[in-house]
Amino acid sequence: METFKKITPQELVANPFSLIGNNWMLVGAQKDNKVNAMTASWGGVGIMWGKPVAYVVLRPQRYTKEFVDTADTFSLSFPDDSHRDALNYFGTVSGRDEDKIAKSGLAVGYEGDTPYFADAHTVLICKKLYAQTMQPDCFIDADIDRKCYPNHDYHTMYIAEIEQVLVKA
């Protein structure tokens, strides 16, 4: 397994628009000594409450949401394009139905109690600070509600402090 070095969030030079929106990430967490993860392409990074934060959104039907809700921390792992098939797999198969991690061939590492994917080039270890389910009456642009939530399965948004940034050494 390749090694990581720790950097501060301020030292991260990757473009978050490419990293999240184009390359995708795996949101991972642990519950009852089991790890689960899902592919995500909605989220961001920034500063909130004077802290470096990441935010992600999870739909209520996603199995990974149960893990994120239970854990104090979660990881955002960013594999390179050579793992695109695994990212597609994690986005289409539920961990309720099969052991996605074992079938994917990706290796799980840990930073403290937080699981992450050792095959990633960049990992954010995040501590939850805030969670709120999106509300239909809060959409200023009603087209987003109509287009993205026809089944009214509104995402929960999690804002989390970035406690550690790991990059391949």
Side-chain angles (χ1 to χ4, degrees), residues 28-69:
Q30 182 169 288
K31 176 180 101 169
D32 300 330
N33 295 316
K34 181 179 177 184
V35 176
N36 196 60
M38 62 173 268
T39 301
S41 63
W42 288 8
V45 295
I47 302 295
M48 189 73 170
W49 306 303
K51 299 173 183 277
V53 299
Y55 75 89
V56 296
V57 293
L58 305 178
R59 289 199 192 261
Q61 61 267 41
R62 296 303 299 253
Y63 187 47
T64 302
K65 184 179 183 309
E66 295 176 24
F67 287 68
V68 171
D69 283 343

Side-chain angles (χ1 to χ4, degrees), residues 119-154:
D119 303 277
H121 57 77
T122 304
V123 176
L124 306 180
I125 304 297
C126 302
K127 179 178 79 174
K128 291 186 310 184
L129 301 173
Y130 181 84
Q132 182 174 354
T133 302
M134 293 182 175
Q135 302 295 315
D137 58 337
C138 292
F139 283 98
I140 295 167
D141 182 344
D143 284 342
I144 294 172
D145 186 17
R146 282 192 292 279
K147 289 177 186 174
C148 296
Y149 301 100
N151 298 323
H152 306 289
D153 55 341
Y154 296 97

